[in-house]
Amino acid sequence: MTSDSYVSEELTLVWLLLITTVLTSFFIQRYHVQYIPPSGAAMILGMACGGIAKAAGLQAALRFSPAAFFYGLLPPIVFAAGFTLKKRDFFRNFGTISVFAVPGTFISALFFGFVTYGLVAIKVVKRSHLGTAPLIECLLYGALISATDPVATLSIFSDMDVPPVLYNLVFGESVLNDATAIVLFRTLEEFYETPLSWGTVPLIFWRFFVIATGSIVIGLGVASACAFILKRFQLAPGADSRQGGPAFNATIYEVALVVMSAYLAYLVSETLALSGIVTLFFTGICHAHYSYYSVTKEAAITLKRLFEFAAFLSEMFVFAYLGLQVAAIRQGMDLGLMLTGVPLVVLSRALNIYPLAYLVNRGRRLPLPINLQHTLWACGLRGAVAYGLAVNLPNIGAESDEGIPAIESATLVIVLVSTLLFGGITGPMVQHFGLQGLDDMAVHALGYQDLHKSVNPSTAANAVREIAANNPDSAHTLWKQIDKAYLKPLFGGRSSGQPHLYALSTGNTDDAEIVEDDSTPHHILEMQTSGLAHMQSGLSSVDADVEAYQPPHASDSAMSPTHRGLIGRTSNGLPHEHDEDT
């Protein structure tokens, strides 16, 4: 068999798997199947396809490639997460999210790593199945396995009426947690051949701080430079992309500039040994806040659809690809690691959520109830990031200098069990804890009752409502003032009173004020003028592209579940009214 035919057979099999996965995901979401998420179905299909590949002798060629994952599949997912982020709700809960994502990840990683090393010491795990530095390898194992991937959970949330605060906490923690786990993993890698001592602990934290800070600066810097250029393009926002003549189309240039600058930021960060995930996430946020409002309406539509498509397809392929690894796994499995992995993940997740939630509630004006904490604990699934890092583990002195088969296989078992089991029980679990159908105010009232046992539900609801009304977000107000006065004149963005691109396309902008929420580019449009009827009557003349420019939740049944926000409700459960740009 020639190498060309070998590659074509491999690609044909994988491509058929991807098509089957997309179709299966469509029917699961179309008919609201809650007991198996699309990611779980993709994984099962991948395992079936892996069996076929093994029978055909292709399993070696289908092994997981860390380079393909980290440089090809992960960037679209991360950028779309930042680009479609509902910024106000994310930053409103940023303190709580950061506590769970940063100190919580450290707690989970250290607990898992040290307990695993203890299992090596008492010979539950065979020392011979590890590399040359068992302690640092166990800590690296703890760091990689602490990377959560709640795609299965979020796909169920998107089909259920869950509180926005629950979705935002799970989604926000997952993004920062993955970044924290990768930064911690790469920091520990630098000490692989260095004996650990108390003197190296400050160095580890310092290196972590440098990587995190540098990654954010690069992401914001590259995106701001792109936004600065786009704002100075000749075309006005919302104008016809062919203003320069019939042969000139600005859309392709604007889309190319945004996409290429985003990937440039990722590459620069990786080249400097920083975190490309952190960089790309903040690049997406910055582009959504500034660049999006400086491009033509055709470019805006294209960007939104492009990133939704890329993220969805990448996610489906990643989980199907993980299923393939069951057939392609290397020899060297350790029974001790495989049997203790899932219990340790459950315990380490509990040590992350419950003690930190207790501390968080001491500082939150609106506390998190215990049933929401239970859900957060169960949502700590493991996915492709954890497995990608496991395949990339250093193994000095082995036949291959990358990967420890025992840890790799144990990680795959954890990913399979958490995605198929915990992802499958998400829907029933939310119903069991009584969270379905609640808005944020009702959730916080439950938290208030948890802290004040003698308070009845009515009193708790009134107290929470009063707390929310009497504590304005002064930091958000200050940011808006700085942004409006100094940043938007340089980099673009939606200015006060500026009609949305949708309104510009109708030609009826004189007497209309368009109010959008801050979940750029998920727009919730409201027309609040005496000329409302006239403007609505003109909507029938909008061209097909602009008609497609609607809130994603109304038309994107196949949109990536990770990035499908809870659009249409504010954090207090009421319809959006004046949720302005963050």
Side-chain angles (χ1 to χ4, degrees):
M1 182 184 297
T2 65
S3 60
D4 289 342
S5 63
Y6 189 79
V7 170
S8 65
E9 289 177 5
E10 172 195 343
L11 291 178
T12 300
L13 185 64
V14 171
W15 208 250
L16 286 173
L17 169 62
L18 186 56
I19 293 174
T20 306
T21 301
V22 170
L23 291 174
T24 304
S25 174
F26 170 79
F27 285 110
I28 288 176
Q29 293 189 321
R30 172 66 178 81
Y31 295 103
H32 305 288
V33 179
Q34 295 183 4
Y35 290 93
I36 179 167
S39 55
M43 197 172 284
I44 293 173
L45 289 171
M47 287 188 282
C49 185
I52 298 173
K54 187 171 185 179
L58 295 173
Q59 71 271 22
L62 296 178
R63 263 192 58 76
F64 192 93
S65 168
F69 174 71
F70 285 107
Y71 286 94
L73 296 172
L74 188 59
I77 298 173
V78 175
F79 183 83
F83 193 72
T84 62
L85 180 71
K86 188 166 174 53
K87 298 191 295 296
R88 170 171 287 189
D89 283 348
F90 176 80
F91 287 107
R92 180 186 288 129
N93 293 288
F94 188 74
T96 301
I97 290 170
S98 299
V99 169
F100 288 138
V102 182
T105 300
F106 272 86
I107 291 172
S108 296
L110 294 177
F111 172 81
F112 192 100
F114 280 120
V115 172
T116 301
Y117 184 69
L119 294 175
V120 174
I122 62 176
K123 302 187 186 309
V124 173
V125 175
K126 292 184 178 181
R127 170 68 180 79
S128 60
H129 286 164
L130 299 180
T132 58
L135 176 57
I136 195 68
E137 286 159 2
C138 289
L139 291 177
L140 284 168
Y141 183 26
L144 69 88
I145 209 64
S146 63
T148 61
D149 191 353
V151 172
T153 296
L154 294 177
S155 66
I156 298 297
F157 283 176
S158 64
D159 293 328
M160 300 180 68
D161 189 17
V162 299
V165 65
L166 174 59
Y167 189 101
N168 291 320
L169 287 177
V170 172
F171 172 68
E173 186 209 347
S174 70
V175 175
L176 295 186
N177 164 276
D178 281 356
T180 302
I182 291 176
V183 171
L184 179 59
F185 181 89
R186 292 182 176 176
T187 303
L188 289 170
E189 267 189 318
E190 297 180 6
F191 296 90
Y192 188 87
E193 297 182 271
T194 302
L196 286 178
S197 64
W198 289 110
T200 59
V201 173
L203 295 177
I204 291 175
F205 281 100
W206 170 249
R207 181 60 181 154
F208 177 87
F209 173 79
V210 170
I211 291 175
T213 305
S215 302
I216 294 174
V217 170
I218 289 175
L220 296 179
V222 173
S224 298
C226 178
F228 183 85
I229 295 172
L230 285 172
K231 183 173 173 58
R232 279 144 189 85
F233 271 21
Q234 293 300 311
L235 291 178
D240 184 358
S241 65
R242 298 183 182 273
Q243 228 178 52
F248 177 77
N249 188 343
T251 298
I252 57 175
Y253 297 99
E254 293 170 328
V255 172
L257 190 58
V258 171
V259 173
M260 294 176 71
S261 68
Y263 199 66
L264 173 65
Y266 184 81
L267 294 176
V268 169
S269 184
E270 291 294 319
T271 301
L272 297 177
L274 301 175
S275 172
I277 283 187
V278 176
T279 296
L280 206 52
F281 178 68
F282 281 93
T283 300
I285 293 176
C286 190
H287 273 308
H289 189 64
Y290 296 118
S291 305
Y292 186 77
Y293 290 96
S294 297
V295 300
T296 61
K297 61 178 180 292
E298 290 88 352
I301 294 167
T302 302
L303 285 170
K304 183 172 75 73
R305 298 301 187 201
L306 175 64
F307 294 134
E308 289 171 3
F309 164 76
F312 165 74
L313 207 59
S314 295
E315 282 181 356
M316 290 299 99
F317 183 76
V318 162
F319 280 96
Y321 203 26
L322 285 175
L324 287 172
Q325 305 315 300
V326 175
I329 195 69
R330 292 184 291 174
Q331 298 297 319
M333 294 181 289
D334 186 284
L335 186 61
L337 281 177
M338 296 179 71
L339 291 179
T340 59
V342 173
L344 285 180
V345 163
V346 171
L347 288 174
S348 63
R349 179 68 178 173
L351 286 176
N352 175 343
I353 295 299
Y354 294 110
L356 294 182
Y358 177 82
L359 296 176
V360 162
N361 279 344
R362 297 279 132 347
R364 279 182 67 99
R365 296 190 296 266
L366 301 174
L368 304 176
I370 190 65
N371 55 352
L372 187 138
Q373 295 175 38
H374 292 332
T375 307
L376 289 175
W377 165 70
C379 289
L381 312 184
R382 270 57 179 176
V385 171
Y387 188 71
L389 292 174
V391 174
N392 216 28
L393 266 173
N395 190 2
I396 308 300
E399 294 182 5
S400 171
D401 62 354
E402 288 189 350
I404 299 176
I407 291 180
E408 183 182 329
S409 57
T411 302
L412 184 58
V413 169
I414 293 171
V415 171
L416 291 172
V417 171
S418 64
T419 301
L420 297 176
L421 178 61
F422 291 103
I425 65 173
T426 297
M429 177 187 60
V430 169
Q431 295 173 346
H432 173 74
F433 290 138
L435 293 174
Q436 187 173 12
L438 297 184
D439 59 34
D440 280 2
M441 286 301 180
V443 170
H444 294 314
L446 292 175
Y448 191 88
Q449 285 183 275
D450 288 343
L451 293 179
H452 305 84
K453 302 296 184 182
S454 61
V455 174
N456 60 53
S458 176
T459 303
N462 291 333
V464 167
R465 196 172 293 111
E466 183 177 351
I467 291 172
N470 295 333
N471 290 276
D473 193 344
S474 55
H476 177 256
T477 302
L478 177 62
W479 157 251
K480 286 182 64 177
Q481 293 172 348
I482 295 174
D483 191 35
K484 179 180 177 181
Y486 302 105
L487 301 181
K488 286 184 176 180
L490 284 175
F491 305 116
R494 181 178 179 270
S495 59
S496 178
Q498 175 190 356
H500 188 269
L501 301 180
Y502 187 92
L504 288 171
S505 68
T506 67
N508 296 316
T509 60
D510 293 337
D511 58 350
E513 178 187 359
I514 305 302
V515 180
E516 64 170 315
D517 80 359
D518 62 319
S519 57
T520 309
H522 292 167
H523 301 295
I524 306 299
L525 306 177
E526 296 178 354
M527 293 163 283
Q528 303 167 319
T529 67
S530 59
L532 176 62
H534 171 69
M535 190 168 190
Q536 287 176 326
S537 67
L539 294 180
S540 59
S541 63
V542 180
D543 58 42
D545 278 340
V546 179
E547 286 180 0
Y549 199 49
Q550 54 184 310
H553 72 290
S555 62
D556 297 344
S557 60
M559 181 184 173
S560 166
T562 304
H563 315 112
R564 191 189 314 167
L566 296 179
I567 309 302
R569 288 197 302 164
T570 57
S571 58
N572 63 3
L574 300 175
H576 281 293
E577 290 183 359
H578 296 278
D579 196 8
E580 297 175 359
D581 201 22
T582 298

